[in-house]
C-alpha cells in the first residue's frame, strides 16, 4: 500500500495527490473526531479553512472544534429538521460555484448522521462530491473488537421499542458476517438482553465505549458475561457505545459441509447438477454454492 505524503506539510500542497486545492462548486464530506480532537486530519483542516461554507449538523457544537482549530469559515445549520428546506438551498449555492463542506457532530457525515439527501441530489445534479475520510466509530470499533473483519455489515441503531428490536435482530440471527450496531447507553442493558435472546448467550460481542476519550473501554466477551458485567458496573452504561457482534459461526461451519458435498458430486456430475443437489442438501444460497463449485471444480 502506498501513502501520499505532502511534500510541504505546512501548506499541505502536493500536486500529485488530491489534497489542498479547493474546487469551486464542490461538496466536501469531512470526517471530524469522535472524542479526541487530535484525530482530525490535516486535509480536513485545510478543507474546512478554505471552503465558502461549512454545513454543520449543530453549528454550536461544531463551533468548539472550529474554534479549537482557529477556523473562521461561516457555518450553516443542516440537520434532520431543516433538511428539506436546506438541501435545495445548498445545492443552488454549489451550482453557483460555492464550495461547501458538510460535517456532522462527530465522525463521518451520513453514517447514522444527516446528509444522504444532499449527497444523492448532488449526484442527480452532477455536482462534484469529494470525501475527506477520517474517523468513524463503527470502523474504529470493528478494528479493535477481535472479531472477523473480512465481511461485515453496519446496521445503525436498533429500534427503541423491544418488540421491534427483537424482530430487527431476528433478521440477522443466521448472518455469517460480523454486525456493527450503534447503541444508546440508556438502552444498553435491554439491547444486550435482546441480543442474547436472539443470538444466544455464547455469541461473542465487541463492546467499544467512549472510543478515543478518557474512559475508553474496549472488550470482547460472550453475551451472557457481557450482560452481567454491564449490569454490575454502572460506568459501562455511560457515554457512547458501539457493539460488534460475531457472525453465526455455525453457518460458517456449513461451508465445510458444502465443500464436502461438492467435492464428491463434482467428481461425478457437471457443475450445474452438483450445485442444484448441494443447494437442496444444505439450504445454502445458490450463488454462493455455484461460486464455490467453480473454485473447487477439478481442472
Ligand atoms: N457519524 C458518526 C460516526 O462516523 O461514527 C456516528 C454518529 S451516530 C449519531 C452516534 C453514535 O455513534 C453513538 O450513539 C455511538 O453509538 C457511536 N459513537 C460515536 N462516537 C463514539 C465514541 N467515541 N465511542 C463509541 N461510540 C461512538
Amino acid at each position: 500500500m502506498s501513502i501520499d505524503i505532502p511534500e510541504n506539510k505546512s501548506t499541505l500542497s502536493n500536486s500529485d495527490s488530491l489534497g489542498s486545492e479547493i474546487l469551486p462548486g464542490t461538496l466536501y464530506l469531512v470526517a471530524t473526531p469522535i472524542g479526541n480532537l487530535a484525530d482530525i486530519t490535516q486535509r480536513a483542516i485545510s478543507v474546512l479553512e478554505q471552503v465558502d461554507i461549512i454545513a454543520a449538523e449543530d453549528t454550536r457544537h461544531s463551533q468548539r472544534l472550529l474554534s479549537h482549530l482557529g477556523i473562521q469559515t461561516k457555518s450553516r445549520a443542516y440537520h434532520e429538521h431543516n433538511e428539506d428546506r436546506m438541501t435545495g438551498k445548498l445545492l443552488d449555492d454549489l451550482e453557483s460555484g460555492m464550495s461547501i463542506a458538510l460535517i456532522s457532530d462527530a465522525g463521518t457525515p451520513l453514517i447514522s448522521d444527516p446528509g444522504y439527501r444532499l449527497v444523492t441530489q448532488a449526484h442527480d445534479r452532477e455536482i462534484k462530491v469529494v470525501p475527506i475520510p477520517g474517523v468513524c466509530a463503527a470502523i474504529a470499533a470493528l478494528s479493535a473488537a477481535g472479531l472477523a473483519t473480512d465481511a461485515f455489515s453496519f446496521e445503525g441503531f436498533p429500534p427503541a421499542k423491544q418488540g421491534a428490536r427483537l424482530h430487527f435482530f431476528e433478521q440477522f440471527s443466521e448472518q455469517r458476517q460480523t454486525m456493527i450496531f450503534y447503541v444508546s447507553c440508556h438502552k444498553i442493558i435491554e439491547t444486550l438482553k435482546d441480543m442474547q435472546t436472539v443470538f444466544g448467550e455464547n455469541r461473542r460481542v465487541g463492546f467499544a465505549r467512549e472510543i478515543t476519550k478518557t474512559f475508553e473501554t474496549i472488550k470482547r466477551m460472550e453475551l451472557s458475561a457481557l450482560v452481567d458485567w454491564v449490569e454490575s458496573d454502572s460506568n459501562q452504561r455511560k457515554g457512547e457505545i458501539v457493539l460488534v457482534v460475531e457472525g453465526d459461526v455455525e453457518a460458517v461451519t456449513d461451508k465445510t459441509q458444502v465443500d464436502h458435498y461438492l467435492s464428491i458430486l463434482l467428481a461425478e456430475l457437471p457443475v450445474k447438477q452438483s450445485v442444484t443437489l448441494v443447494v437442496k442438501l444444505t439450504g445454502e444460497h445458490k450463488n454462493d454454492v455455484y461460486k464455490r463449485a467453480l473454485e473447487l471444480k477439478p481442472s
Side-chain angles (χ1 to χ4, degrees):
M1 190 174 77
S2 72
I3 299 173
D4 289 323
I5 299 173
E7 282 161 22
N8 178 348
K9 285 191 185 161
S10 60
T11 60
L12 295 178
S13 64
N14 177 6
S15 55
D16 292 338
S17 60
L18 283 172
S20 56
E21 215 178 294
I22 289 297
L23 303 169
T26 301
L27 174 61
Y28 291 89
L29 306 169
V30 181
T32 56
I34 57 170
N36 189 328
L37 295 186
D39 287 336
I40 187 101
T41 67
Q42 291 184 328
R43 192 162 168 235
I45 298 171
S46 168
V47 168
L48 293 173
E49 269 168 352
Q50 294 178 66
V51 285
D52 296 307
I53 296 168
I54 296 174
E57 190 184 358
D58 177 340
T59 47
R60 271 200 301 183
H61 176 96
S62 296
Q63 198 48 53
R64 268 179 294 202
L65 173 71
L66 299 175
S67 305
H68 169 81
L69 297 169
I71 292 173
Q72 291 179 345
T73 309
K74 276 192 296 202
S75 61
R76 267 196 217 152
Y78 183 74
H79 44 68
E80 55 179 340
H81 305 295
N82 72 358
E83 224 180 340
D84 257 355
R85 190 163 44 85
M86 282 303 287
T87 300
K89 170 97 189 72
L90 291 173
L91 292 168
D92 290 346
D93 288 343
L94 285 159
E95 275 180 339
S96 76
M98 287 174 115
S99 53
I100 298 181
L102 176 69
I103 59 175
S104 55
D105 286 352
T108 301
L110 278 86
I111 306 301
S112 290
D113 269 334
Y116 171 72
R117 202 175 300 186
L118 181 63
V119 174
T120 193
Q121 291 186 26
H123 281 283
D124 291 345
R125 287 163 70 159
E126 296 188 3
I127 290 167
K128 193 171 169 62
V129 177
V130 174
I132 307 293
V135 187
C136 174
I139 298 300
L142 174 69
S143 67
L147 295 170
T149 54
D150 54 340
F152 62 88
S153 66
F154 170 66
E155 307 297 346
F157 287 93
K161 295 214 168 110
Q162 193 191 25
R165 194 166 53 228
L166 280 167
H167 188 62
F168 173 76
F169 287 144
E170 269 154 20
Q171 57 178 319
F172 308 113
S173 62
E174 290 180 4
Q175 175 169 311
R176 293 173 188 175
Q177 301 158 338
T178 302
M179 294 146 263
I180 309 172
F181 300 95
Y182 285 164
V183 180
S184 152
C185 61
H186 307 294
K187 301 263 171 208
I188 186 66
I189 299 269
E190 299 122 275
T191 303
L192 287 172
K193 286 186 174 170
D194 289 347
M195 281 183 167
Q196 191 169 253
T197 305
V198 174
F199 299 119
E201 57 183 27
N202 301 121
R203 188 69 74 92
R204 296 185 302 175
V205 172
F207 175 89
R209 188 176 73 87
E210 296 287 271
I211 304 168
T212 76
K213 301 189 205 175
T214 312
F215 297 108
E216 180 179 83
T217 309
I218 311 282
K219 293 268 187 199
R220 190 197 65 193
M221 293 189 199
E222 291 191 353
L223 264 169
S224 56
L226 186 55
V227 169
D228 290 347
W229 179 60
V230 174
E231 267 188 327
S232 67
D233 180 354
S234 61
N235 285 329
Q236 306 312 328
R237 307 197 289 270
K238 293 177 186 156
E240 299 194 276
I241 302 170
V242 182
L243 295 177
V244 183
V245 179
E246 181 175 45
D248 183 350
V249 180
E250 275 165 31
V252 174
T253 320
D254 285 344
K255 263 190 182 162
T256 329
Q257 206 181 25
V258 167
D259 282 7
H260 177 66
Y261 287 139
L262 276 176
S263 61
I264 296 170
L265 293 169
L266 284 169
E268 309 288 336
L269 299 169
V271 170
K272 206 172 154 202
Q273 237 177 315
S274 304
V275 169
T276 307
L277 287 171
V278 174
V279 169
K280 276 191 187 149
L281 284 165
T282 62
E284 292 295 312
H285 288 295
K286 192 173 169 192
N287 286 351
D288 294 344
V289 177
Y290 187 71
K291 207 171 136 213
R292 189 66 185 138
L294 294 181
E295 284 165 6
L296 293 178
K297 192 167 103 87
S299 48

